[in-house]
Amino acid sequence: MQLHSNIIGEGKPFVILHGFLGMSDNWKTLGKQFAEAGFQVHLVDQRNHGRSFHSADFNYDLLSQDLKAYCDTHDLKDIILLGHSMGGKTAMLFSTQFPEYVNKLIIADISPRFYPIHHDAILEGLANLNFNALKSRGEAEEQLSNYVSDYGTRLFLLKNLYWVEKGVLGLRMNLEALTDNVSEVGEALPIHSKFEGNTLFLKGDKSEYIATQDEPIIKSHFTNAKIETIENAGHWLHAENPKDFYSAVINFVN
């Protein structure tokens, strides 16, 4: 089973992993900018997300193995690896399991620690979308607003909508498997996992995902890590302040 990806540009391989309930398309604009800066950008859909395969099994070990298989298929070595949120957790584990594949690691707004489940309302709202009655994205957005108050979050989630056939909408993600395995998303990096390569952690100044007390945990796993803050940004820092996010990443990789 091969992961779906969108590959843009030529040059040093730069792999980007989206977060929970996201997809590679969320990174298209920044991906193009990184490609213009001389990288071959791989925007990857992780299993049960976007256009990648569906499976009842879902945990970080599997996501890491999926990424290794992807790199082997595309003959990618010495990659720059960027992961946001859940994608950041995949990227952390991958770099500790297969350090020979990773030249530089960038983790966007997530720490190696455990996070309690906090996606309940979102998953419930998506599960209650009535695709027998829905005829437009607008109607779906209206239904979802009963569960998800933030407009930006609703738009992000509804990027998963697609026309299954004429007049019938559906979700690209494997909602059932993701709901069944949601407890896996917050799992901590295994305690002895270490990566000694160059690593950059980026946190949004309005986000609580990386707190001051996370810094010793980060340094214990990633001995060569720097932590930087992106101003005027929450958890979706790459979407909320793409300019500063791009600058921080480019300065680090160059």
Side-chain angles (χ1 to χ4, degrees):
M1 302 283 258
Q2 194 51 247
L3 296 176
H4 175 271
S5 69
N6 183 7
I7 303 170
I8 319 166
E10 290 298 326
K12 188 173 176 57
F14 189 151
V15 177
I16 300 180
L17 302 175
H18 60 80
F20 186 58
L21 305 176
M23 59 170 87
S24 57
D25 278 12
N26 303 144
W27 286 86
K28 217 188 249 170
T29 307
L30 272 165
K32 283 181 183 158
Q33 287 179 271
F34 292 132
E36 283 160 15
F39 296 94
Q40 183 188 65
V41 179
H42 293 251
L43 303 175
V44 176
D45 283 330
Q46 298 187 83
R47 71 163 63 196
N48 292 326
H49 290 79
R51 290 176 170 82
S52 278
F53 61 88
H54 287 189
S55 164
D57 301 314
F58 187 80
N59 59 53
Y60 285 118
D61 260 320
L62 292 170
L63 296 179
S64 178
Q65 292 291 340
D66 289 346
L67 181 57
K68 181 182 184 292
Y70 179 87
C71 289
D72 290 342
T73 300
H74 292 272
D75 197 24
L76 303 182
K77 291 278 189 300
D78 215 26
I79 65 172
I80 292 161
L81 179 58
L82 187 166
H84 172 243
S85 200
M86 178 192 87
K89 290 264 192 171
T90 306
M92 286 186 227
L93 186 61
F94 179 83
S95 68
T96 64
Q97 290 180 332
F98 310 107
E100 67 279 10
Y101 283 73
V102 182
N103 178 290
K104 288 189 174 180
L105 179 66
I106 303 139
I107 305 297
D109 212 57
I110 198 81
S111 144
R113 69 173 158 90
F114 169 79
Y115 290 80
I117 295 171
H118 55 282
H119 299 96
D120 307 25
I122 284 175
L123 292 169
E124 193 185 344
L126 292 171
N128 282 311
L129 289 174
N130 180 359
F131 290 113
N132 295 322
L134 286 176
K135 289 291 167 264
S136 71
R137 286 173 179 273
E139 288 176 19
E141 200 248 314
E142 199 176 319
Q143 274 191 19
L144 197 56
S145 69
N146 296 317
Y147 298 88
V148 182
S149 58
D150 182 64
Y151 178 68
T153 306
R154 291 201 299 275
L155 287 193
F156 162 78
L157 294 166
L158 292 173
K159 276 189 186 278
N160 285 285
L161 280 183
Y162 77 114
W163 295 103
V164 182
E165 55 187 73
K166 195 174 158 70
V168 182
L169 282 165
L171 291 170
R172 286 203 188 277
M173 66 179 80
N174 183 353
L175 188 61
E176 188 182 352
L178 295 176
T179 303
D180 289 347
N181 296 290
V182 67
S183 62
E184 296 289 345
V185 179
E187 279 301 304
L189 192 64
I191 196 155
H192 299 300
S193 299
K194 275 197 173 22
F195 176 68
E196 291 170 355
N198 284 335
T199 305
L200 175 65
F201 278 76
L202 293 172
K203 61 176 188 171
D205 67 336
K206 296 175 183 163
S207 170
E208 292 167 7
Y209 275 74
I210 298 180
T212 311
Q213 58 266 34
D214 290 324
E215 298 190 9
I217 305 165
I218 288 170
K219 295 279 168 65
S220 72
H221 291 286
F222 300 92
T223 50
N224 206 356
K226 299 195 300 181
I227 303 164
E228 290 180 16
T229 302
I230 302 295
E231 301 297 328
N232 304 313
H235 184 53
W236 280 282
L237 59 180
H238 55 292
E240 293 168 38
N241 188 348
K243 191 165 162 284
D244 288 356
F245 184 87
Y246 174 83
S247 298
V249 172
I250 282 294
N251 289 340
F252 174 68
V253 296
N254 289 336

